[in-house]
């Protein structure tokens, strides 16, 4: 909480588009000390729950707290691994099945750390950030998502 | 004291509100006592597992809350 660095915003309204992901990759072409990127994309799955199929997830968050958590997770990853940069984006609002709701992007001079750092980040995000998902069914009923 | 209480996810479905202001006679009380007070109003909460954050930090049941604190009732996280 005491770090004075400016905080990034990790939340995006709606799905994360392929264009957004492509542009993020392109922005790194000028950073020529980087030799390896690794990307995690979370996609909304059409789970079958009690005979009904999930059509979309509506994400909400305790935004102030979650942004702080993203910040802390980011700092922890930089302390633990030798990374050039990292980016976390998570959707808010409705994301349909097949669309992307989480985009985590790590870059480093060499490849070994990007595998480990990416797994660390995704697991930390799932465990610690105050994000909630309402699984919407085709008949407009819903259930609250539980991470497994 | 006055507390600002926020409810998220399934918990907001139960309370039918996302936030409310509580005016209490006590000048301080523990998270555990506050939890009991809230659960006596919204009894359905007792059937759910959830955590409580005080001023955006996860709080144990013995933490003392004070005037103007922001208390958040958080169901299990489901990001990603």
């Amino acid at each position: 909480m005491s770090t004075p660095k400016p905080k990034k915003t990790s939340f995006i309204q709606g799905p994360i588009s392929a264009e957004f992901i492509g542009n993020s990759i392109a922005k790194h072409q000028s950073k020529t000390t980087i030799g390896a990127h690794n990307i995690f994309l979370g996609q909304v799955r059409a789970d079958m729950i009690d005979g009904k199929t999930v059509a979309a997830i509506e994400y909400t968050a305790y935004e102030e707290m979650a942004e702080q958590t993203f910040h802390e997770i980011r700092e922890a990853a930089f302390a633990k691994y030798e990374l050039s940069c990292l980016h976390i984006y998570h959707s808010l609002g409705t994301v349909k099945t097949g669309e992307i709701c989480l985009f985590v992007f790590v870059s480093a001079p060499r490849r070994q750390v990007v595998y480990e750092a990416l797994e660390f980040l995704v697991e930390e995000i799932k465990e610690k950030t105050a994000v909630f998902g309402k699984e919407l069914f085709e008949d407009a009923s819903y259930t609250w998502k539980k991470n497994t | 004291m006055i507390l600002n209480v926020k409810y998220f996810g399934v918990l907001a479905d139960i309370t039918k509100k996302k936030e409310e202001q509580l005016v209490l006679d006590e000048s301080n009380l523990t998270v555990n006592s506050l939890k009991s007070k809230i659960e006596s109003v919204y009894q359905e909460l007792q059937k759910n597992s959830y955590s409580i954050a005080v001023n955006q930090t996860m709080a144990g049941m013995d933490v003392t809350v004070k005037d103007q604190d922001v208390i958040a009732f958080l169901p299990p996280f489901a990001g990603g």
Side-chain angles (χ1 to χ4, degrees):
Chain A
M1 276 211 175
S2 56
T3 37
K5 282 182 196 170
K7 281 173 204 163
K8 297 190 188 178
T9 304
S10 292
F11 286 116
I12 287 183
Q13 280 300 325
I16 300 166
S17 67
E19 186 187 10
F20 182 89
I21 296 161
N23 285 340
S24 293
I25 297 167
K27 279 180 196 160
H28 290 74
Q29 288 171 355
S30 58
K31 299 185 179 182
T32 50
T33 58
I34 293 173
H37 299 298
N38 201 5
I39 286 174
F40 178 87
L41 299 174
Q43 174 168 302
V44 174
R45 192 175 51 233
D47 274 350
M48 179 90 96
I49 302 169
D50 297 333
K52 290 192 283 191
T53 307
V54 171
I57 295 178
E58 186 187 311
Y59 287 102
T60 51
Y62 185 4
E63 287 187 55
E64 304 95 309
M65 186 173 166
E67 289 285 11
Q68 178 62 33
T69 308
F70 283 134
H71 174 72
E72 287 165 10
I73 292 171
R74 217 180 264 128
E75 294 293 304
F78 275 119
K80 208 169 149 85
Y81 304 101
E82 202 174 311
L83 299 173
S84 306
C85 58
L86 75 88
H87 306 273
I88 300 169
Y89 298 99
H90 198 297
S91 292
L92 284 181
T94 305
V95 183
K96 292 186 208 128
T97 52
E99 293 181 328
I100 302 299
C101 57
L102 174 62
F103 170 31
V104 185
F105 186 3
V106 297
S107 309
R110 293 181 175 277
R111 71 183 178 283
Q112 200 58 49
V113 296
V114 298
Y115 304 127
E116 292 173 24
L118 188 67
E119 183 174 3
F120 168 80
L121 283 162
V122 173
E123 296 308 310
E124 288 282 294
I125 291 163
K126 291 219 168 217
E127 185 191 335
K128 295 184 176 167
T129 51
V131 175
F132 314 100
K134 194 191 250 187
E135 291 176 311
L136 309 172
F137 299 110
E138 280 146 357
D139 64 359
S141 61
Y142 67 86
T143 185
W144 288 96
K145 176 173 176 263
K146 293 183 181 76
N147 272 356
T148 49
Chain B
M1 66 171 166
I2 295 172
L3 295 176
N4 301 295
V5 186
K6 293 171 181 282
Y7 306 101
F8 291 90
V10 66
L11 308 179
D13 280 359
I14 294 167
T15 61
K16 298 192 168 58
K17 59 186 75 168
K18 288 183 174 169
E19 55 190 318
E20 65 183 321
Q21 205 166 55
L22 290 186
V23 181
L24 302 170
D25 295 333
E26 294 93 330
S27 59
N28 61 58
L29 81 168
T30 62
V31 166
N32 196 40
S33 333
L34 177 67
K35 183 178 188 228
S36 304
K37 271 181 194 292
I38 301 279
E39 286 187 354
S40 69
V41 180
Y42 310 106
Q43 294 178 5
E44 191 82 2
L45 288 179
Q46 294 169 24
K47 295 179 191 161
N48 287 267
S49 76
Y50 59 90
S51 309
I52 294 175
V54 177
N55 300 328
Q56 301 176 25
T57 303
M58 298 305 262
M61 286 297 133
D62 55 344
V63 167
T64 304
V65 298
K66 53 186 195 313
D67 188 40
Q68 297 301 330
D69 277 353
V70 179
I71 316 295
F73 283 63
L74 305 167
F77 300 160

